[in-house]
Amino acid sequence: MKQCVLYDRECIDCGECDRCDLDPNKICDNCMKCVNGDQMFRSILIDKVIAAEDGKKPGEAQS
């Protein structure tokens, strides 16, 4: 069985991965509007930064 590309499970052939990211009622036709389109769709909004509780910087080795 093949692995699902959206969720951590085996593929159940639900078809969700074939849906358009901009219009979920449409099957993806590779128009690339989601990649080449409006700037809003090419940005990531960060709403929260979580600091390490032990005072170490993220990625810093443990002693």
Side-chain angles (χ1 to χ4, degrees):
M1 194 77 175
K2 64 182 179 176
Q3 190 68 17
C4 177
V5 296
L6 299 175
Y7 305 107
D8 186 23
R9 66 176 186 209
E10 289 183 352
C11 176
I12 59 172
D13 291 320
C14 67
E16 189 176 345
C17 60
D18 294 327
R19 295 288 172 185
C20 172
D21 287 338
L22 302 178
D23 180 2
N25 296 317
K26 175 183 156 193
I27 299 293
C28 177
D29 60 3
N30 294 320
C31 70
M32 301 299 288
K33 287 181 183 175
C34 58
V35 178
N36 299 326
D38 191 351
Q39 179 65 31
M40 181 178 80
F41 296 109
R42 294 184 298 198
S43 60
I44 299 173
L45 301 176
I46 299 173
D47 61 351
K48 187 179 191 180
V49 176
I50 302 172
E53 291 182 19
D54 61 5
K56 294 187 182 291
K57 294 178 184 175
E60 195 173 71
Q62 297 290 332
S63 335

